[in-house]
Amino acid sequence: MSGDEETMRRAPRRTGGVPELSEMLTARELKAARTLGVADLGHLLRLPPNRYVVPGPLNFLGDMTEGEEVSAVATVRDVRDRSMRNRPGSILSVLIDDGTDAISLTFFLAKAHLVAWHRKNLRPGVRIHVSGTVGNHNGERQIVHPDYVVLDEDHTIDEAMRPIPVYPLRGRVTQAAMRQAFRSALEFAPLLPDVIPSDILREQGLPSLQEALAALHAPHTIDDTRRGMAHLAFEEAFVLQTIFAQRRAADELTPAPPLRAEGPLQGLLRDRLPFTLTQGQEEVAAAIAERISRDMPTSVLLQGDVGSGKTVVALLAMLRAVDSGHQAALLAPTEVLAEQHHRTIMELLGELGRAGRIDGVPEATRVRLLTGSQRVARRRETLLDVTSGEAGLVVGTHALLTESVEFASLGLVVIDEQHRFGVDHRRRLRTRGADGRSPHVVVMTATPIPRSAALAIVGDLDVLSLREMPSRRAGTTSFVVPETQRSWHDRMWERVLEEVRAGRQAFVVCPRINDADETEAPVAPDGGGAPRGVEETYERLRADPRFADVRIGMLHGRLPAEEKQRSMQAMANRELDLLVATTVIEVGVDVPTASAMVVLDAERFGVSQLHQLRGRVGRGEHPGIVFFATTAAPGSESLEHLGRIAGTQDGFELARLDLERRGVGDLVGSQQSGLHRTLRHLDVLHDSEVIEAARTSAAALVAVDADLDAHPGLAEAVDDRLRDADPDVERS
Ligand code: ADP
Ligand code: MG
């Protein structure tokens, strides 16, 4: 899309014909509507009621007993009012009769006009539908302040039995005023433009927008309200998927270098690997290879649990880029992780990554690490390699995207997100490749989420998943250790020592660097109050006679880069037995001989963090054992939650747990566009069929009408949603 078109698209498009709310509603109705924070008719009517009150089956007056909630049809016999004795106002008594008995309705009314209003409605002889709670006054049954509807040709008993919407109220707005506002607004619903084309509605078996809105705000049955909601959910999914389809279409306008070469490096790497790829890895590798062979940029989300073997798959794709005469970049969220990736890649490649060196092979490429903490001279040398194309593979932090690093010919970017979906910065990559071409993008995440959620959140990516774990991984078993159980605690440390004595290594993960960082009062239910900062824990373990022979190290983000590197290296070289660390080890740290982990204050970590953390052990041939030490109270929700995490290994299952507990908003990193945050009607976990169907329909529509010229209502809804989500979104 050109810049001019972009500007035009951003101007609010109005399909015309929809008056302002102020032109449709009375002042009182408008006031009520405004408390809901809506700007126009479309927004107002798309707010569903909180719930509905369904009038119960009719009762006979003769059967009613005190305290009962009742509903009946009866005839007004007599109406009288008298002044209240102790304060201003009147008591209105209305005697009603249904042939089985008669009881009175009582209203305490402060204002004379209210008396007049009820008297006008409740003339003797009219039939009413009345509901309320049966009370007692001087031994006589009565209903105080009942709800009633006068029945006539326009208001039949059928109508009186319909579900009654209950709206959210703010300020001093009454439910009656709010209902009136919606009733009035509903009369203008036919002016609203259709968002979903009618043929798609028919295909989906959904009611039209007008029908849906009527079904929500003036339902005849509860079933109607479900049909109304189904329309809104599909509409929401459809608008989102239209946005994603448009983005994909726009992406495809920039050409990408087709990465089609099958070798030699890819084959040489396969020959070198000490294992064979799992079937899942082969399938995903083939799917990526197929996509990056195209001459338009592809965007893939590769999701798979920690240790599912994403790195090898990504490396094969990167070598495909090099084999095809281009470069590939691998970006990590932190320097520690970038360094780790660099080491892993160098190891996997061996002589294949040592171009120009005596121990390299003729086909070899050069791998460069580019981080902010590198010395100037080294950095300059690296940049030269990147710019000249000498470096086939470049590993760095996400900052590489924002820095003006010039690549000779960038063909593929792999972004390791770990557990965020910062897919927005992915868009900045467009046209960073050679001659205005755009590199292909693979986003890797170790926080797999259900496909439907992925499609709703990052629907412009193709989702590929690695579900099986390579068999070499021994896996882990997790236990929850409540602080209150002293003996369990002792046993936990004993187990850690057993692993260390057997020549394996352990991690102790702390929620913070030092206890002075703690702002809240420390939690110490049993008065124990053991320190839980990295520094204090490190000192404590070193002072503990049980750990006298144990070589203990420390790692956290505030240490100088070199020291961090040294600790990591020492751990990898088995010069340390135990590393006390913050969550900096959460991602990427690969110590195949590590087998034990203690997480202190485990309740402070999120589901995915805990899962990532425990993925650091049991990576080699030795099974891992993980302890979630916690101060969470016995029987608390936190403790139960930890138990559920300890009990499941499947990252997809955990992701679901996390989504159910925290919702989508928290799952997605803050840089992510706000599209998901404005989800109103769609449940990304449970509406998977809706999302899939909307995706298919939207893709088909955008394929023939990318600018939505024939669908002004949809175009308006798309603009609206983008503006609503984030004013910056459209600029990217
Ligand atoms: P991820 O990046 O998904 O967390 P990795 O790619 O780092 O996982 O793989 C975890 C470990 O498993 C690494 O040591 C890797 O070499 C090894 N691995 C990968 N694929 C296989 C396989 N097919 N068989 C055995 N081991 C594998
Ligand atoms: Mg990895």
Side-chain angles (χ1 to χ4, degrees):
M1 208 180 294
S2 78
D4 279 359
E5 281 172 46
E6 189 78 12
T7 321
M8 275 175 50
R9 288 287 318 277
R10 294 186 60 199
R13 271 198 267 196
R14 282 283 155 232
T15 28
V18 186
E20 299 287 325
L21 278 180
S22 58
E23 299 169 63
M24 294 178 274
L25 303 183
T26 65
R28 183 165 170 267
E29 291 163 356
L30 188 65
K31 208 174 122 226
R34 290 245 161 94
T35 62
L36 298 172
V38 288
D40 61 37
L41 184 70
H43 282 117
L44 179 68
L45 288 176
R46 282 180 175 85
L47 290 177
N50 278 351
R51 61 192 174 88
Y52 296 88
V53 175
V54 183
L58 293 177
N59 305 77
F60 290 120
L61 296 183
D63 295 340
M64 289 175 182
T65 52
E66 204 185 319
E68 223 181 337
E69 287 266 4
V70 294
S71 158
V73 172
T75 306
V76 175
R77 293 293 171 216
D78 184 42
V79 184
R80 52 188 69 191
D81 64 83
R82 58 194 150 86
S83 299
M84 281 192 257
R85 228 173 291 146
N86 304 322
R87 50 194 171 112
S90 316
I91 299 175
L92 182 74
S93 285
V94 181
L95 189 71
I96 59 168
D97 173 357
D98 72 347
T100 63
D101 205 348
I103 70 172
S104 56
L105 312 177
T106 307
F107 299 83
F108 299 95
L109 303 168
K111 299 269 163 53
H113 75 264
L114 292 175
V115 175
W117 188 75
H118 284 294
R119 272 190 170 278
K120 192 166 116 253
N121 292 333
L122 298 169
R123 283 187 303 262
V126 305
R127 268 159 51 84
I128 62 169
H129 172 248
V130 62
S131 49
T133 309
V134 181
N136 180 322
H137 182 65
N138 294 337
E140 293 288 322
R141 291 175 307 159
Q142 66 165 5
I143 303 177
V144 177
H145 288 181
D147 284 329
Y148 68 87
V149 178
V150 176
L151 302 176
D152 54 28
E153 276 142 35
D154 295 334
H155 299 87
T156 62
I157 180 60
D158 281 351
E159 192 175 323
M161 297 301 286
R162 289 174 190 170
I164 304 159
V166 179
Y167 295 98
L169 297 179
R170 256 182 237 114
R172 294 156 62 111
V173 177
T174 62
Q175 192 59 246
M178 193 60 92
R179 282 183 190 142
Q180 185 52 51
F182 274 92
R183 264 197 301 275
S184 299
L186 194 57
E187 287 175 29
F188 294 91
L191 298 179
L192 290 174
D194 286 318
V195 172
I196 312 171
S198 52
D199 49 338
I200 295 180
L201 286 176
R202 259 195 309 281
E203 253 167 52
Q204 298 299 322
L206 290 169
S208 70
L209 180 63
Q210 323 312 330
E211 287 169 309
L213 296 176
L216 284 172
H217 299 294
H220 289 200
T221 63
I222 282 296
D223 211 47
D224 281 350
T225 69
R226 296 198 188 100
R227 281 162 45 78
M229 282 310 296
H231 180 105
L232 291 189
F234 187 86
E235 183 188 88
E236 181 152 51
F238 187 70
V239 170
L240 272 180
Q241 296 301 331
T242 300
I243 292 172
F244 293 139
Q246 283 185 311
R247 283 187 180 171
R248 281 197 302 271
D251 284 354
E252 289 171 3
L253 296 178
T254 321
L259 309 176
R260 292 193 181 134
E262 302 285 342
L265 287 171
Q266 297 159 79
L268 291 170
L269 175 68
R270 282 169 174 276
D271 294 343
R272 274 186 54 86
L273 288 177
F275 47 78
T276 46
L277 297 186
T278 63
Q279 197 191 329
Q281 282 173 312
E282 289 289 4
E283 282 167 14
V284 168
I288 294 176
E290 188 272 311
R291 284 168 173 77
I292 64 180
S293 300
R294 301 178 194 166
D295 56 10
M296 48 201 186
T298 190
S299 301
V300 170
L301 176 68
L302 170 54
Q303 51 173 13
D305 223 331
V306 181
S308 59
K310 297 183 292 297
T311 309
V312 190
V313 172
L315 184 55
L316 276 172
M318 292 193 280
L319 291 182
R320 194 179 179 87
V322 178
D323 284 337
S324 308
H326 298 278
Q327 294 164 293
L330 171 59
L331 310 181
T334 65
E335 288 206 355
V336 170
L337 191 53
E339 284 157 12
Q340 176 78 44
H341 273 313
H342 181 247
R343 257 198 310 279
T344 307
I345 286 180
M346 289 304 281
E347 229 158 79
L348 285 167
L349 288 178
E351 57 189 14
L352 306 178
R354 297 197 281 259
R357 279 166 48 180
I358 192 86
D359 53 355
V361 292
E363 298 88 350
T365 186
R366 193 173 287 173
V367 187
R368 283 301 201 179
L369 173 68
L370 195 63
T371 67
S373 57
Q374 272 167 345
R375 302 245 160 76
V376 176
R378 166 136 202 142
R379 192 176 162 81
R380 195 173 300 139
E381 196 188 317
T382 301
L383 283 172
L384 209 62
D385 270 0
V386 174
T387 313
S388 68
E390 285 293 316
L393 302 182
V394 183
V395 184
T397 54
H398 290 174
L400 256 185
L401 293 184
T402 43
E403 291 165 5
S404 49
V405 177
E406 291 287 340
F407 284 83
S409 179
L410 187 57
L412 170 69
V413 178
V414 177
I415 305 177
D416 187 359
E417 280 293 344
Q418 292 300 331
H419 45 231
R420 268 173 303 124
F421 286 94
V423 286
D424 270 0
H425 54 210
R426 179 180 61 86
R427 308 190 64 73
R428 279 188 231 127
L429 282 166
R430 295 290 170 232
T431 72
R432 295 233 17 201
D435 31 286
R437 289 194 288 183
S438 174
H440 301 281
V441 177
V442 173
V443 181
M444 297 198 290
T445 174
T447 305
I449 55 174
R451 182 182 153 83
S452 61
L455 291 184
I457 297 164
V458 289
D460 46 349
L461 282 78
D462 276 334
V463 182
L464 300 175
S465 303
L466 278 175
R467 290 213 67 144
E468 57 186 323
M469 300 295 261
S471 53
R472 250 184 29 163
R473 247 185 93 88
T476 61
T477 316
S478 316
F479 299 94
V480 179
V481 182
E483 176 115 305
T484 44
Q485 304 278 352
R486 291 319 305 180
S487 60
W488 295 18
H489 244 253
D490 293 343
R491 179 70 193 126
M492 168 178 89
W493 290 117
E494 196 47 48
R495 276 296 283 123
V496 170
L497 284 166
E498 281 167 21
E499 292 299 311
V500 168
R501 284 191 210 111
R504 297 186 281 270
Q505 293 152 290
F507 293 107
V508 175
V509 183
C510 306
R512 55 187 174 271
I513 296 175
N514 63 47
D515 288 339
D517 287 349
E518 186 68 337
T519 43
E520 335 146 34
V523 205
D526 59 347
R532 283 181 275 274
V534 171
E535 291 171 351
E536 289 84 357
T537 304
Y538 173 74
E539 293 304 337
R540 183 162 58 97
L541 293 178
R542 278 171 55 108
D544 189 327
R546 290 177 296 180
F547 288 79
D549 303 333
V550 180
R551 295 167 300 172
I552 305 178
M554 176 163 71
L555 179 67
H556 60 71
R558 255 185 246 151
L559 293 172
E562 275 163 35
E563 221 169 298
K564 275 190 270 187
Q565 178 103 45
R566 220 177 309 128
S567 292
M568 300 276 299
Q569 200 60 54
M571 204 57 185
N573 296 346
R574 305 172 74 166
E575 293 155 15
L576 284 177
D577 301 309
L578 189 153
L579 188 65
V580 184
T582 53
T583 54
V584 291
I585 63 144
E586 162 185 344
V587 286
V589 171
D590 196 0
V591 183
T593 45
S595 64
M597 173 176 287
V598 172
V599 183
L600 297 175
D601 278 355
E603 75 281 1
R604 300 201 179 197
F605 298 91
V607 175
S608 56
Q609 266 188 318
L610 289 174
H611 188 54
Q612 296 268 336
L613 283 169
R614 71 180 165 191
R616 301 298 111 210
V617 299
R619 292 172 79 76
E621 53 184 306
H622 304 290
I625 184 160
V626 175
F627 299 100
F628 296 148
T630 176
T631 56
S636 65
E637 199 189 317
S638 295
L639 197 63
E640 189 202 328
H641 186 58
L642 280 176
R644 305 249 292 273
I645 302 169
T648 316
Q649 280 300 318
D650 182 1
F652 286 82
E653 189 51 44
L654 286 164
R656 180 169 275 274
L657 211 101
D658 202 20
L659 262 181
E660 270 169 6
R661 193 169 143 103
R662 297 192 303 163
V664 199
D666 278 333
L667 180 83
V668 183
S670 55
Q671 316 128 303
Q672 167 63 13
S673 83
L675 279 176
H676 67 279
R677 268 187 226 119
T678 51
L679 287 185
R680 295 187 184 96
H681 310 297
L682 203 57
D683 177 336
V684 298
L685 270 187
H686 299 110
D687 289 334
S688 57
E689 278 169 32
V690 174
I691 293 167
E692 295 277 2
R695 185 173 171 83
T696 311
S697 308
L701 186 143
V702 169
V704 298
D705 184 11
D707 292 332
L708 308 178
D709 293 330
H711 302 278
L714 177 59
E716 192 185 318
V718 161
D719 289 350
D720 211 46
R721 168 115 301 197
L722 287 173
R723 251 194 322 277
D724 210 24
D726 179 351
D728 290 340
V729 168
E730 275 171 294
R731 255 181 265 129
S732 56

